Amino acid sequence: MESFRPTPGCGLNGLSAREPDGLTRLMNREAASDIVDASLAHFKTAAVMLLDLDRFYLINESYGTALGDAVLAALGERFLQARGLSGYPACRYGGNTFLFVLDEEDVEAQAERIRKVAELPLSVQSRELQLSVSCGIAQAPYHGKQANDLLRHSDTALQIAKASRYGAESVAYSLELGQTSSRRSMIEGGLRRALELGQLRVMFQPQYQAEDGRLRGVEALLRWHHPELGAVSPAEFVPIAEQTGQIRSIGEWMIRTAGLQYGRLRELAGEDQSFRLSVNLSAVQLSEPSFADRLLGLLQEVGLPPACLELEITESCMLEQMDQTVRQLRWLRQAGIRIALDDFGTGYSSLSYLSRLPADVLKLDKSFVQPAEERAAGWLIAETMVRLARELGLEVVAEGVETDAQLALVRAWGCDAVQGYLLCRPVESVDLGTVIAARSS
């Protein structure tokens, strides 16, 4: 079978004589600039699209690099053989990133066609894999007239697409994205030294029993003050830390720091044995086969009983390697750790996950709670979720309670516990005693 051959008439045929990528048989990165230059000579408004496999490192870490290479080879073969893609010059741009040159007719439709081909189920070495991809697009002459400009700007758009919490299908470059990319670079670089420089800190937000107001526990929340950017939201820097792998060291520091403070926090709560420490867990951490063992060792090191820890996982954790996720969670539960499903109902998962996952707690996202006082459609959805969770034996914690009306509603729905600004904002551990005393009085 021949390697990729560009469509006759596009001025690209001479490039096919170059040595193809040894793994995918597509043209290699060395040909990228020439591919774009030749396309620009033929299509004045040609576009460059970079396509990247989301969280591909999880495949390498879970199944080995040999299977990862087999995935890339199979995907390259698919791009070569797929109907409707033969006219788009393509190359393996590097690692798990592919480059396509699109013509001037309908760039968005072409990008969507390629994305759908990439995300078709893939069978490799007796494993069925469902890939997801992110795409960045830059089009001439709007985003540059030279190959280097389009390559740089499509990469900027790709990074913004990948920074989305649940992934963005395709992002086109703009001047605003260039500014966003600059900020992202500052965040990524700053995170590398944030731990070393002591810029990260842990704050705690109390959770209360809905019925009688007793203190249920606290959720540990990560905060970062960048020396130039100021306070950076976790919603912005955590996805970047996940993509770069820095979330592993940050997550371990978070658990160690919060765990070391647990003893004092429980003293403030009156030595209540049911007092729990909740910590958020990333899909990247949970994907590590040795995570459960390392976590249990860390808890022993800081003196935190497993039964006092509650790990909060989001839907992104469920969507990545479901079988391995369930195995890890079952192991942790057997050790006594409680599992909470955080932000449930805000992503792509279905209620069927409630019966499949070994969980103890469902955290009702604030998006359901906050419009509820206006009798929005979310009210009915929230009531249904709470009722189903209770029938499955899950404890329900309502997040984002900010008004008395919302508190009354979540109590009426049957929520077991609540947290939110109405009750207490996140505070430093040194201030938690004052908060608890004031609440008790």
Side-chain angles (χ1 to χ4, degrees):
M1 188 177 296
E2 294 185 350
S3 297
F4 178 83
R5 290 293 185 270
T7 303
C10 290
L12 299 170
N13 292 289
L15 298 175
S16 63
R18 293 191 176 189
E19 189 71 21
D21 175 64
L23 188 60
T24 64
R25 299 193 310 112
L26 300 172
M27 288 186 282
N28 59 35
R29 181 178 181 130
E30 293 179 357
S33 293
D34 292 338
I35 292 172
V36 178
D37 280 334
S39 297
L40 287 172
H42 190 77
F43 298 115
K44 299 303 181 183
T45 57
V48 172
M49 182 179 85
L50 293 181
L51 179 149
D52 190 85
L53 306 185
D54 294 333
R55 293 179 176 171
F56 185 72
Y57 61 86
L58 293 179
I59 293 178
N60 284 330
E61 291 178 357
S62 301
Y63 305 121
T65 55
L67 188 135
D69 287 346
V71 169
L72 295 174
L75 197 57
E77 188 67 23
R78 175 180 289 178
F79 291 147
L80 286 170
Q81 300 298 327
R83 292 174 60 88
L85 296 192
S86 60
Y88 304 132
C91 75
R92 183 186 178 200
Y93 194 62
N96 51 284
T97 303
F98 298 84
L99 178 146
F100 294 86
V101 179
L102 313 178
D103 62 35
E104 54 194 325
E105 293 181 359
D106 190 341
V107 169
E108 290 186 5
Q110 293 171 21
E112 179 67 7
R113 188 179 303 121
I114 295 171
R115 187 189 65 79
K116 286 185 175 180
V117 168
E119 291 188 339
L120 290 172
L122 191 65
S123 180
V124 179
Q125 297 182 2
S126 302
R127 293 185 182 276
E128 294 293 328
L129 301 174
Q130 180 66 62
L131 304 177
S132 66
V133 302
S134 297
C135 305
I137 303 169
Q139 185 173 13
Y142 319 111
H143 309 139
K145 298 180 180 180
Q146 304 297 322
N148 288 341
D149 292 333
L150 294 178
L151 290 170
R152 186 176 71 254
H153 291 161
S154 60
D155 183 66
T156 295
L158 174 64
Q159 298 309 315
I160 299 303
K162 293 182 72 65
S164 171
R165 183 71 174 178
Y166 292 103
E169 294 177 353
S170 301
V171 169
Y173 182 80
S174 68
L175 293 177
E176 291 77 10
L177 280 187
Q179 296 171 351
T180 301
S181 178
S182 176
R183 178 180 173 87
R184 175 192 164 87
S185 297
M186 292 181 66
I187 291 175
E188 185 174 332
L191 277 174
R192 294 194 182 98
R193 301 193 64 197
L195 280 178
E196 176 188 340
L197 298 176
Q199 296 171 354
L200 297 177
R201 59 196 174 110
V202 178
M203 301 187 73
F204 298 91
Q205 185 173 36
Q207 300 170 339
Y208 297 95
Q209 299 292 349
E211 184 176 349
D212 57 15
R214 283 188 304 109
L215 187 66
R216 173 189 184 271
V218 292
E219 178 181 357
L221 300 168
L222 186 61
R223 296 293 183 262
W224 180 32
H225 191 277
H226 189 280
E228 296 180 50
L229 300 176
V232 183
S233 168
E236 184 176 13
F237 73 78
V238 168
I240 296 175
E242 289 178 329
Q243 292 165 25
T244 60
Q246 296 174 73
I247 195 65
R248 294 182 176 89
S249 57
I250 291 174
E252 184 172 320
W253 174 86
M254 173 84 165
I255 294 173
R256 175 179 283 107
T257 301
L260 287 171
Q261 299 183 53
Y262 173 79
R264 176 178 175 276
L265 297 177
R266 200 171 76 170
E267 287 179 9
L268 295 174
E271 296 291 345
D272 187 345
Q273 296 297 318
S274 65
F275 180 81
R276 294 190 180 89
L277 172 66
S278 298
V279 179
N280 290 278
L281 189 64
S282 164
V284 177
Q285 296 169 274
L286 198 57
S287 70
E288 298 182 65
S290 62
F291 173 74
D293 282 335
R294 289 174 52 211
L295 174 62
L296 294 175
L298 179 58
L299 296 185
Q300 185 174 13
E301 176 187 329
V302 301
L304 176 61
C308 296
L309 179 64
E310 187 170 277
L311 293 176
E312 299 189 7
I313 65 171
T314 62
E315 295 181 49
S316 63
C317 292
M318 305 178 228
L319 295 173
E320 297 284 352
Q321 305 181 55
M322 182 71 170
D323 292 340
Q324 180 171 310
T325 296
V326 170
R327 284 195 298 271
Q328 291 261 37
L329 294 181
R330 283 178 178 161
W331 195 354
L332 294 171
R333 282 188 82 206
Q334 289 173 1
I337 297 172
R338 287 167 60 89
I339 306 298
L341 306 182
D342 193 21
D343 300 337
F344 194 83
T346 61
Y348 301 132
S349 70
S350 67
L351 291 175
S352 64
Y353 280 116
L354 291 180
S355 61
R356 295 179 60 191
L357 283 170
D360 305 281
V361 181
L362 182 144
K363 297 197 73 176
L364 191 64
D365 186 70
K366 64 181 181 181
S367 62
F368 292 105
V369 174
Q370 292 182 352
E373 59 189 341
E374 302 170 6
R375 303 182 68 87
W379 184 349
L380 295 177
I381 297 173
E383 283 185 301
T384 302
M385 291 174 62
V386 172
R387 184 168 61 251
L388 178 58
R390 296 293 299 274
E391 290 176 356
L392 292 172
L394 301 179
E395 183 184 4
V396 180
V397 178
E399 296 183 287
V401 176
E402 297 182 355
T403 68
D404 289 321
Q406 291 169 1
L407 178 59
L409 280 167
V410 297
R411 282 173 170 165
W413 292 342
C415 292
D416 300 284
V418 294
Q419 71 179 94
Y421 284 5
L422 174 67
L423 306 165
C424 184
R425 291 174 175 267
V427 295
E428 303 275 2
S429 61
V430 295
D431 300 321
L432 199 57
T434 303
V435 170
I436 293 173
R439 183 76 183 175
S440 300
S441 61

